[in-house]
Amino acid sequence: MTEIKDSAYAAIVSCGRTRFSELWEDSMSDLMLDSLLESLNSTNGNMEFKDIESMYVGNFISEKIVDQGLVAGELAQQFGTHIPIFRLEGACASGGLALYNACLGIKSGKFDVVAVCGVEKMTDRGEIVTDALAAAASDWERFYGNTFPGLYATLMARHMYEYGTTREQLAMVAVKNHQHAVNNDKAQYPFPIKIESVLKSPLIADPVRLLDCSPVSDGASSIILCKPEIAKKYTETPVYVTGAGAATDALSFFSRNDFTGLAVTRIAAQQAFRDAKILQKDVDILEVHDCFTIEEITALEDLKFVEKGEGGPFIGEAVDSFKGSKHIIYPTESGEIVVNCGGGLKADGHPVGATGSRQICEIWEQLLGIAGKKQVDLDTDLLTGVAHNIGGTGGVGSVHVLQV
Amino acid sequence: MTEIKDSAYAAIVSCGRTRFSELWEDSMSDLMLDSLLESLNSTNGNMEFKDIESMYVGNFISEKIVDQGLVAGELAQQFGTHIPIFRLEGACASGGLALYNACLGIKSGKFDVVAVCGVEKMTDRGEIVTDALAAAASDWERFYGNTFPGLYATLMARHMYEYGTTREQLAMVAVKNHQHAVNNDKAQYPFPIKIESVLKSPLIADPVRLLDCSPVSDGASSIILCKPEIAKKYTETPVYVTGAGAATDALSFFSRNDFTGLAVTRIAAQQAFRDAKILQKDVDILEVHDCFTIEEITALEDLKFVEKGEGGPFIGEAVDSFKGSKHIIYPTESGEIVVNCGGGLKADGHPVGATGSRQICEIWEQLLGIAGKKQVDLDTDLLTGVAHNIGGTGGVGSVHVLQV
C-alpha cells in the first residue's frame, strides 16, 4: 500500500453521480450540483466544500445544446465560490481529460484537494443533438454528410472484413452491458436485451443498428481527489490514481493508416500501465468506452487484453459461457476480469462529458466493495481497475489506472 | 536570476502569433499552425516540434462559429502527432487558463516542454457572433435580451455614477490603446483615433459606444514553455513565469454584491503577485483585458495600481501629459508603467481564445527588447510584466507574472 501511495498522482476521497436518463427537469447546474453534493455527502462530514481548492469540469457540447459556455462561472455561482474552475473539452473524453488535468494540478503542488465534475445535457434538444455531436468529427467527414454512427460503421465494417468479427459477436457487447445494468439503480436502461433484438433493431448506418449505439443522455458525475499524503485525513479507504495516460490522433479516419482500432487507446494505455507498473493480467475490472459495440471490441484489442482481431471471439465465448450470475466474466492470463461493470455507455447511459468521470465512480465503488446490487464478485480481491475514455472517433483518449 | 528561475512555474522559450484581423482565407487550423510555427521558428532551430510533449489550446466558441469541437484532434492532424492536447474553455480567458494549466503540467513533472495555443475564428459568422459570445453570460441575463456590450454598459454606468468617472476618461482608454497599436504590424487597427471620435461613435448600449468596444477578430497566438532548469538548452534569454493566479465568480452581475469591479481580478492578482513575490511598484509593463474601455479602468483599480475610483483620473492625466512619444506612460510609486503596449484588445484585436496568450507574446517581446517599432522605452530596464485576462463579465479570470 505504501508503495502505491508514494507513486500515485492523487487519492480519490469520494465519488458521486446522478441518474443517467432523460432528466428534463434538471438544468446543467442542477446536475453538477447534485453529483458534487453526493460526492461530498459520501465523506460523512470528513470533507466540506470549503476544503476543495479547485475544480475541473468535463463538458462537450453545452454551447450547442443549452447555449451555455463558461461553465466555470455557472458552477461558481451555484457554490458561491471564487476557487479556480477549469473546463476541459475533449468531446466524449472530456471527463477523462478533466481527471488527467486534476491529477496534474495535485501533482504540481498547487492544489491539495480538487474536484472533477463531468456533465452533459443532451436530451432537451433531440432534433439537433446528432449535428451537435458531429462537431467532434472533421470538416471533411461532415461535408459529405457523415455522422458518428456512420463513422463507427466504417470501423465496424472494416473490422468484420479484416478479422471476421461477426454481427452476433458485436450484438453480444450490447447484451452483456445491458445484463450488467440490470442491478444499476442509476442506469438509463437497466433491463436485459436479447441478441435477436440487437440484430433486428433498426439499421442506423450499415452495419451499425440502433442497439449497437449508446444512448443520448443527461447526467453528471463527480470525483473528489486529494494529495495522496493527506488522504487518510478525509477517508479510511482511499483509492489511488496510479496511472494516467492521454493521447491524440488525427481527427479524421482518412488521415490514419488503419481504422480497425484506435492509436490513442494504445498510446494512452501504454503510458498509464507503465506509470502504475501493472500488466494487463493485474487488472480486475475495466471500464471501456463502448459508444458503439465495435468500440468495446477494438478497445479490448488496443488495450492488449486480447490479440488484434480476437476481440469478437473473446466476448462471444464469455457470453456463451454465461451461467446467469450478475456479471459476464472474461478469463485472463492470471484470473478473471469484468468489463463495464454497471452497464457501460450502452446501458448505463452516455451523457458525453460525464462518461469519463462516471467510469471512475464505477471503479471506485467496485474496488471499495460498495457497489451494492451491482457489486462484482470474483474469486480474487478487486485491487486494480482501469478506465478507458475516447473522444470523437479516437481524436483524443485517456486511460487511468486506479488501485487500492 | 537564479532566484527567479528556482521559484518559477516555467520558462518561456518562445512566442509567436498571427496578425489579428478579418482573416477569411485562413481556417482555425491554419491560424493555430501559423502561430505555432512562428514560435518554433523563433528558436532558430534550438527547438523542434518533436521536443513538445503536450499542448494546451485556449478556445471559446469554435463549436458555434466554425462548428468544430475537439480542436485537439484537429491540431494533432495538422502536426501528425499523438502527444496529449487539452482544450481549455473559459470564454475570453481561455488563453490565460490554458497557460495556467500548461504551467501546472510542467510543475507536476509530467512534461518538460509544452506549447500553449490560443485561437479564435469569429469574423466569418458576423450575423451570429453576438449571440454566440452571449453563451458566456448567464441564462437570466440573456433571457431579457442582454448582450456583452449591455452587461459592460451596466458596469460602466455604475462606475460613472459611484466614482464620477467621465465619458472623456473612458474614451482616453481607447485613444491610448490605438496610439500603442500604431507601431504594431500585427494589430487589427494600427491607427490613432481622437477622443471626439469615441464620443461621437454610435451608441451600442448606453453609455457604451462603438469605439469603447474591442473588435471581433480572427487570430491565434502561441507560447512554448519548458521546465526552468532546462531553459538554457533552448534559449539564451528565457522569460520566467513566476506568478500564476486564477479565480472564478458568479456568472451573473445580479448575484454579486458589487459590479464596479471584478473580484476575479483582485483574487487572481493577489495569488500571482504573492507567488512572484512582487509588488505593484515592481511592474514595468502590464497587459490588461480592455474588452470595453471601462474594463481597463476597473482592472487598474482591481490590480491595485490605483485606489478604487481613481482609474478614470489616472488615465486622464497620463493622456493629457502625453508628449507624443510612442507610448503613453503612467507614473507609479517607484517609476513608470506602460499598459497594453501593443494596443490591447481594443486596437490589437480580440480573437477571444487567443487574447490571453497574445498578452504573453507581447510581454515576452517587450521584456526581451525584441518588440521592434513598438518596443517600450522606459528610463529603467524592463524586468517584470503582468498579464490580466478575463472571461465573461468576470466569471473567470487569470493573472500571470513574467520576469527576466
Side-chain angles (χ1 to χ4, degrees):
Chain A
M1 177 61 89
T2 313
E3 203 182 304
I4 286 178
K5 189 183 113 181
D6 290 346
S7 63
Y9 287 91
I12 298 176
V13 174
S14 179
C15 290
R17 60 169 284 193
T18 67
R19 200 157 60 91
F20 285 1
S21 187
E22 297 188 18
L23 304 171
W24 292 8
E25 292 181 6
D26 295 304
S27 70
M28 191 165 69
S29 284
D30 293 338
L31 295 173
M32 289 193 284
L33 204 62
D34 285 353
S35 78
L36 279 162
L37 289 179
E38 186 177 297
S39 310
L40 278 171
N41 290 339
S42 306
T43 70
N44 298 316
N46 287 328
M47 180 171 281
E48 296 175 70
F49 181 77
K50 66 176 175 48
D51 295 318
I52 297 174
E53 296 169 17
S54 93
M55 290 200 266
Y56 291 75
V57 176
N59 175 257
F60 174 27
I61 43 168
S62 59
E63 285 90 354
K64 290 217 160 193
I65 303 287
V66 295
D67 213 19
Q68 187 66 63
L70 199 55
V71 181
E74 180 92 0
L75 204 48
Q77 185 152 341
Q78 291 286 340
F79 281 102
T81 184
H82 290 295
I83 61 171
I85 306 178
F86 307 107
R87 180 232 180 153
L88 275 291
E89 185 274 311
C92 308
S94 299
L97 299 179
L99 171 63
Y100 187 99
N101 279 278
C103 287
L104 296 192
I106 288 176
K107 198 77 179 171
S108 73
K110 187 80 170 176
F111 308 118
D112 283 349
V113 179
V114 306
V116 171
C117 180
V119 66
E120 212 76 58
K121 280 290 288 179
M122 302 173 74
T123 71
D124 293 9
R125 302 293 303 279
E127 79 284 11
I128 62 161
V129 76
T130 304
D131 257 6
L133 290 168
S138 83
D139 276 354
W140 300 102
E141 289 171 326
R142 283 177 286 149
F143 281 168
Y144 63 83
N146 222 326
T147 59
F148 268 92
L151 289 165
Y152 275 96
T154 315
L155 202 155
M156 190 189 281
R158 191 73 198 175
H159 203 278
M160 294 170 79
Y161 175 81
E162 293 266 4
Y163 303 108
T165 307
T166 67
R167 265 294 353 177
E168 285 71 17
Q169 289 161 351
L170 287 155
M172 285 177 188
V173 173
V175 170
K176 171 180 78 64
N177 291 341
H178 271 261
Q179 169 62 31
H180 288 186
V182 167
N183 293 302
N184 181 354
D185 292 339
K186 293 182 169 175
Q188 188 163 1
Y189 298 139
F191 51 78
I193 58 170
K194 295 200 163 84
I195 291 178
E196 302 75 57
S197 315
V198 183
L199 298 181
K200 288 180 183 162
S201 64
L203 198 60
I204 302 295
D206 195 12
V208 168
R209 290 180 178 271
L210 184 64
L211 293 182
D212 288 305
C213 310
S214 56
V216 168
S217 320
D218 302 323
S221 55
S222 296
I223 315 163
I224 299 176
L225 302 125
C226 73
K227 204 160 69 171
E229 295 86 328
I230 62 168
K232 287 291 170 79
K233 191 172 151 190
Y234 301 111
T235 176
E236 287 301 305
T237 54
V239 171
Y240 296 99
V241 182
T242 55
T248 53
D249 199 356
L251 201 55
S252 41
F253 278 151
F254 63 75
S255 301
R256 305 183 196 165
N257 296 326
D258 164 64
F259 48 84
T260 58
L262 303 182
V264 289
T265 304
R266 298 192 286 274
I267 297 166
Q270 201 175 28
Q271 292 169 3
F273 281 56
R274 193 179 52 210
D275 266 358
K277 303 184 185 69
I278 62 159
L279 297 172
Q280 279 69 6
K281 70 180 174 58
D282 301 317
V283 181
D284 303 301
I285 52 174
L286 174 62
E287 294 290 311
V288 303
H289 193 91
D290 59 318
C291 50
F292 296 91
T293 51
I294 182 61
E295 183 44 27
E296 177 154 334
I297 287 175
T298 57
L300 289 169
E301 295 171 359
D302 289 327
L303 291 166
K304 310 227 183 291
F305 285 92
V306 293
E307 294 293 316
K308 186 82 185 163
E310 292 181 9
F314 185 67
I315 184 164
E317 284 162 28
V319 173
D320 283 341
S321 66
F322 178 52
K323 297 291 185 299
S325 63
K326 280 186 294 188
H327 293 93
I328 292 162
I329 296 168
Y330 293 111
T332 64
E333 200 183 316
S334 67
E336 299 172 329
I337 189 172
V338 175
V339 179
N340 289 338
C341 311
L345 285 61
K346 174 68 197 84
D348 196 345
H350 183 32
V352 289
T355 285
S357 35
R358 190 276 304 155
Q359 295 176 324
I360 302 300
C361 294
E362 184 65 46
I363 295 174
W364 175 77
E365 284 188 355
Q366 295 288 351
L367 292 182
L368 295 184
I370 57 171
K373 286 185 293 171
K374 65 177 160 56
Q375 180 64 44
V376 165
D377 184 21
L378 296 183
D379 290 338
T380 53
D381 287 340
L382 302 185
L383 298 175
T384 302
V386 167
H388 160 258
N389 194 197
I390 288 295
T393 47
V396 299
S398 70
V399 173
H400 288 91
V401 180
L402 271 57
Q403 292 182 283
V404 286
Chain B
M1 177 59 92
T2 313
E3 202 182 306
I4 286 179
K5 188 183 112 181
D6 290 345
S7 62
Y9 287 91
I12 299 176
V13 174
S14 179
C15 289
R17 59 170 286 193
T18 67
R19 202 157 58 89
F20 285 1
S21 186
E22 298 187 18
L23 304 171
W24 294 7
E25 292 181 4
D26 296 304
S27 70
M28 190 165 70
S29 283
D30 293 338
L31 295 173
M32 290 192 284
L33 204 63
D34 285 352
S35 78
L36 279 162
L37 289 179
E38 187 178 297
S39 310
L40 278 171
N41 290 340
S42 305
T43 70
N44 297 315
N46 287 327
M47 179 172 281
E48 296 175 70
F49 181 77
K50 67 174 176 49
D51 295 318
I52 297 174
E53 296 170 16
S54 93
M55 289 201 266
Y56 291 76
V57 175
N59 175 257
F60 174 26
I61 43 168
S62 58
E63 285 90 353
K64 289 217 159 191
I65 304 289
V66 295
D67 213 20
Q68 186 66 63
L70 198 56
V71 181
E74 180 91 1
L75 204 48
Q77 185 151 341
Q78 290 287 339
F79 281 101
T81 183
H82 291 294
I83 61 170
I85 305 178
F86 308 106
R87 180 233 181 153
L88 275 291
E89 184 275 310
C92 309
S94 299
L97 299 178
L99 171 62
Y100 188 98
N101 279 278
C103 287
L104 297 192
I106 288 176
K107 199 76 179 172
S108 73
K110 187 81 171 177
F111 307 119
D112 283 348
V113 179
V114 306
V116 171
C117 180
V119 65
E120 212 77 57
K121 279 291 288 179
M122 300 173 74
T123 71
D124 292 9
R125 301 294 302 280
E127 79 286 9
I128 61 161
V129 76
T130 305
D131 257 7
L133 289 168
S138 82
D139 276 353
W140 300 101
E141 289 171 327
R142 283 178 286 148
F143 281 169
Y144 63 84
N146 223 326
T147 60
F148 267 93
L151 289 164
Y152 275 97
T154 315
L155 202 156
M156 190 189 282
R158 190 74 198 175
H159 202 278
M160 294 170 80
Y161 175 81
E162 293 265 4
Y163 303 109
T165 307
T166 67
R167 268 289 357 172
E168 285 72 18
Q169 289 162 350
L170 287 155
M172 285 177 187
V173 172
V175 170
K176 172 181 77 65
N177 291 340
H178 272 262
Q179 170 61 30
H180 288 185
V182 166
N183 294 301
N184 181 355
D185 291 339
K186 293 182 170 174
Q188 187 163 1
Y189 298 140
F191 50 78
I193 59 170
K194 294 202 164 82
I195 290 178
E196 302 75 56
S197 315
V198 183
L199 299 181
K200 287 180 186 163
S201 64
L203 198 60
I204 302 294
D206 194 11
V208 168
R209 290 180 177 272
L210 183 65
L211 292 183
D212 289 304
C213 311
S214 56
V216 168
S217 319
D218 302 324
S221 55
S222 296
I223 315 163
I224 299 176
L225 301 125
C226 73
K227 202 159 71 170
E229 296 86 327
I230 61 168
K232 287 291 170 78
K233 191 172 152 191
Y234 302 111
T235 176
E236 286 302 304
T237 55
V239 171
Y240 296 99
V241 182
T242 55
T248 54
D249 199 356
L251 201 55
S252 42
F253 277 151
F254 63 75
S255 302
R256 304 184 197 165
N257 296 325
D258 163 64
F259 48 83
T260 60
L262 302 182
V264 289
T265 304
R266 298 191 287 274
I267 297 166
Q270 201 175 28
Q271 292 169 4
F273 280 56
R274 192 179 51 211
D275 266 357
K277 302 186 186 67
I278 61 159
L279 297 172
Q280 279 68 8
K281 69 181 175 59
D282 300 318
V283 181
D284 303 302
I285 52 173
L286 174 63
E287 293 291 312
V288 302
H289 193 89
D290 60 319
C291 50
F292 296 91
T293 50
I294 182 60
E295 183 44 27
E296 177 153 335
I297 287 176
T298 56
L300 289 169
E301 295 172 359
D302 288 329
L303 291 166
K304 309 228 183 291
F305 285 92
V306 293
E307 294 293 316
K308 185 82 184 164
E310 292 181 10
F314 185 67
I315 185 164
E317 285 162 28
V319 173
D320 282 342
S321 66
F322 178 53
K323 297 292 184 300
S325 63
K326 280 185 294 189
H327 293 92
I328 291 163
I329 296 168
Y330 293 111
T332 64
E333 201 184 314
S334 68
E336 299 172 329
I337 189 172
V338 175
V339 178
N340 288 338
C341 311
L345 284 62
K346 174 67 197 84
D348 196 346
H350 182 32
V352 290
T355 284
S357 35
R358 189 276 304 155
Q359 295 176 323
I360 303 299
C361 294
E362 185 64 47
I363 295 174
W364 175 76
E365 284 189 355
Q366 295 287 352
L367 293 182
L368 295 184
I370 57 170
K373 286 185 293 170
K374 65 176 159 59
Q375 180 64 45
V376 166
D377 185 20
L378 296 183
D379 289 340
T380 53
D381 287 341
L382 301 185
L383 299 175
T384 302
V386 167
H388 160 257
N389 194 197
I390 288 294
T393 47
V396 299
S398 71
V399 173
H400 287 90
V401 179
L402 271 57
Q403 292 182 281
V404 286

